Amino acid sequence: MAADPGAPIGVFDSGLGGLTTVRELRTLLPGEDILYFGDTGRVPYGTRGRDTIVDYTRQDIAFLLSKHVKTIIAACGTVSSTYPAEEGRALPVGYTGVVQAAAHAALKVTKTGRVGILGTEATVRSGSYQVALAAGDRKVKSFACACPLFVPLVENGHFAPDDPMAHLAAEEYLGPIKEAGVDTVILGCTHYPLLWGVLERQFGPGVALIDPGRQAALAMRDKLAQEAMLNPRETGGRVEYYVSDEPSRFNALAGIFLPEDAAASARQIHVEKYDLDLILKGAMPGVE
Ligand code: DGL
């Protein structure tokens, strides 16, 4: 599977939230084609056990490889925190999650060395951000908090800066992190950047928020440039969307995450039929 600079960037997520990363990639790299897969039939991942998340991730990656993407971004905070890094390194194309780029950005921004991490239950349980922060600076203190209601709130349109339900949930979750006196907070789940205005008000002006999707997109731009793998075209990149559930909900909600492509329309695939081992052996014909 030789990678070709003209091939698409593969982006995947447990559902719609990874479109926040697509938005950043479209802004930074408008000439790139993107192939997006959202596992809408099996979302959420964030409440599931490790083995299930890893199995789902292997199938998601197998689908993207079957489409000959040149590199893969796991936009999902839960996948990025759970899928083993050594498996990612063994793939025939580059694979990256969002954790390293976001932790790196947080370490650059924090002055007090006190960093908050918000994510799904699986992300917080994995300790991925805590480990990445400590690897960059052993003196940094991290404070993590799972915010399970944030995903359904966003998907139901409750993300305006003054939304009362979003503020109620934020107050319920964020007390200990605020009390810890953090000056930087990583929004470690695809949906949380949509709550930027709410979280800015909650934390106040002295706290910097980090969007992992944006940081991963910036890191991807640099990596593709270093590897001479950028699409030579400067504009006109297109996005193809695939989902595992019937696409109507994706098509209705995509505009929340990607206002520039509100008319995005997805095709359904049967992701459970994609077997990573077979794809890697070249023994699996395309199935959709
Ligand atoms: N995409 C997931 C994440 O970023 C949130 C939704 C889910 O739990 O699957 O962690």
Side-chain angles (χ1 to χ4, degrees):
M1 276 184 235
D4 155 20
I9 298 174
V11 182
F12 74 102
D13 177 44
S14 55
L16 286 134
L19 294 176
T20 51
T21 302
V22 172
R23 188 177 63 192
E24 298 299 339
L25 284 170
R26 300 277 287 157
T27 307
L28 289 170
L29 297 169
E32 296 289 340
D33 290 332
I34 297 171
L35 203 143
Y36 182 82
F37 172 65
D39 197 0
T40 52
R42 304 189 295 197
V43 69
Y45 284 13
T47 50
R48 296 186 194 273
R50 181 194 171 280
D51 292 352
T52 306
I53 297 167
V54 172
D55 284 348
Y56 287 177
T57 300
R58 288 187 184 127
Q59 292 170 344
D60 302 343
I61 289 173
F63 168 66
L64 293 177
L65 290 176
S66 79
K67 290 289 189 186
H68 307 293
V69 296
K70 64 180 172 186
T71 189
I72 295 176
I73 305 183
C76 181
T78 301
V79 168
S80 304
S81 297
T82 309
Y83 185 61
E86 61 279 13
E87 281 197 34
R89 281 193 292 271
L91 293 172
V93 301
Y95 165 86
T96 180
V98 292
V99 172
Q100 296 302 328
H104 187 68
L107 289 170
K108 278 216 288 217
V109 167
T110 183
K111 294 192 174 64
T112 62
R114 300 175 79 79
V115 178
I117 300 153
L118 310 183
T120 63
E121 288 162 36
T123 294
V124 169
R125 186 181 64 220
S126 75
S128 63
Y129 277 106
Q130 296 89 321
V131 169
L133 288 167
D137 182 347
R138 271 190 304 124
K139 292 191 294 307
V140 162
K141 288 211 173 346
S142 48
F143 303 88
C145 169
C147 308
L149 285 176
F150 282 180
V151 168
L153 279 167
V154 168
E155 296 210 351
N156 287 284
H158 292 282
F159 53 84
D162 57 354
D163 187 275
M165 284 172 74
H167 279 281
L168 203 63
E171 271 150 30
E172 169 78 16
Y173 294 135
L174 303 181
I177 289 207
K178 287 187 203 165
E179 278 159 30
V182 298
D183 73 345
T184 305
V185 175
I186 298 173
L187 310 187
C189 167
T190 45
H191 290 58
Y192 300 180
L194 271 289
L195 291 164
W196 195 276
V198 172
L199 296 170
E200 234 173 17
R201 286 189 191 186
Q202 285 288 331
F203 286 112
V207 175
L209 304 180
I210 305 287
D211 174 352
R214 173 153 183 82
Q215 297 307 323
L218 285 163
M220 177 57 66
R221 182 186 59 183
D222 294 348
K223 184 166 170 277
L224 291 177
Q226 274 163 18
E227 294 170 353
M229 284 298 289
L230 283 170
N231 191 316
R233 197 176 50 196
E234 285 185 7
T235 56
R238 292 181 317 153
V239 193
E240 274 181 38
Y241 302 95
Y242 295 85
V243 290
S244 53
D245 191 16
E246 195 268 310
S248 58
R249 184 172 154 82
F250 175 93
N251 296 345
L253 292 182
I256 291 181
F257 297 91
L258 202 59
E260 304 79 1
D261 200 3
S265 148
R267 284 175 61 187
Q268 184 174 11
I269 57 125
H270 296 286
V271 71
E272 66 286 352
K273 293 189 184 163
Y274 287 81
D275 182 312
L276 185 56
D277 291 332
L278 290 182
I279 292 269
L280 292 177
K281 282 186 204 138
M284 188 169 175
V287 282
E288 291 192 8

mmCIF file of all heavy atoms in Angstrom, residues 21 29 102-103 108 118 125 175:
data_model
loop_
_atom_site.group_PDB
_atom_site.id
_atom_site.type_symbol
_atom_site.label_atom_id
_atom_site.label_comp_id
_atom_site.label_asym_id
_atom_site.label_seq_id
_atom_site.Cartn_x
_atom_site.Cartn_y
_atom_site.Cartn_z
ATOM 1 N N THR A 21 -12.711 18.039 13.570
ATOM 2 C CA THR A 21 -11.346 17.912 13.032
ATOM 3 C C THR A 21 -11.347 18.129 11.523
ATOM 4 O O THR A 21 -10.437 18.764 10.976
ATOM 5 C CB THR A 21 -10.775 16.526 13.393
ATOM 6 O OG1 THR A 21 -10.791 16.398 14.817
ATOM 7 C CG2 THR A 21 -9.352 16.349 12.888
ATOM 8 N N LEU A 29 -5.786 22.958 5.203
ATOM 9 C CA LEU A 29 -5.318 22.244 4.009
ATOM 10 C C LEU A 29 -6.449 22.148 2.975
ATOM 11 O O LEU A 29 -6.970 21.057 2.699
ATOM 12 C CB LEU A 29 -4.852 20.832 4.401
ATOM 13 C CG LEU A 29 -3.664 20.745 5.356
ATOM 14 C CD1 LEU A 29 -3.487 19.327 5.873
ATOM 15 C CD2 LEU A 29 -2.392 21.203 4.642
ATOM 16 N N ALA A 102 -2.390 17.548 21.383
ATOM 17 C CA ALA A 102 -3.079 18.392 22.361
ATOM 18 C C ALA A 102 -2.236 18.552 23.627
ATOM 19 O O ALA A 102 -2.141 19.654 24.194
ATOM 20 C CB ALA A 102 -4.438 17.791 22.707
ATOM 21 N N ALA A 103 -1.606 17.470 24.073
ATOM 22 C CA ALA A 103 -0.767 17.547 25.278
ATOM 23 C C ALA A 103 0.418 18.486 25.028
ATOM 24 O O ALA A 103 0.771 19.309 25.882
ATOM 25 C CB ALA A 103 -0.280 16.151 25.671
ATOM 26 N N LYS A 108 2.908 23.833 26.110
ATOM 27 C CA LYS A 108 3.475 25.110 25.640
ATOM 28 C C LYS A 108 2.743 26.292 26.271
ATOM 29 O O LYS A 108 3.329 27.346 26.511
ATOM 30 C CB LYS A 108 3.331 25.200 24.110
ATOM 31 C CG LYS A 108 4.432 24.464 23.385
ATOM 32 C CD LYS A 108 4.875 25.141 22.104
ATOM 33 C CE LYS A 108 3.849 25.017 21.028
ATOM 34 N NZ LYS A 108 4.256 24.836 19.691
ATOM 35 N N LEU A 118 -10.649 17.304 30.129
ATOM 36 C CA LEU A 118 -12.046 16.890 30.080
ATOM 37 C C LEU A 118 -12.178 15.840 28.982
ATOM 38 O O LEU A 118 -11.593 15.989 27.905
ATOM 39 C CB LEU A 118 -12.970 18.074 29.745
ATOM 40 C CG LEU A 118 -12.790 19.365 30.563
ATOM 41 C CD1 LEU A 118 -13.831 20.397 30.151
ATOM 42 C CD2 LEU A 118 -12.888 19.072 32.055
ATOM 43 N N ARG A 125 -10.357 7.334 32.075
ATOM 44 C CA ARG A 125 -9.913 6.062 32.669
ATOM 45 C C ARG A 125 -8.563 5.617 32.086
ATOM 46 O O ARG A 125 -7.708 5.081 32.782
ATOM 47 C CB ARG A 125 -10.988 5.013 32.381
ATOM 48 C CG ARG A 125 -10.778 3.658 33.033
ATOM 49 C CD ARG A 125 -11.901 2.700 32.640
ATOM 50 N NE ARG A 125 -11.919 2.424 31.224
ATOM 51 C CZ ARG A 125 -13.024 2.312 30.480
ATOM 52 N NH1 ARG A 125 -14.223 2.462 31.008
ATOM 53 N NH2 ARG A 125 -12.944 2.049 29.183
ATOM 54 N N GLY A 175 -16.511 21.764 39.016
ATOM 55 C CA GLY A 175 -16.110 22.306 40.325
ATOM 56 C C GLY A 175 -14.691 21.912 40.736
ATOM 57 O O GLY A 175 -13.841 22.785 40.978
#
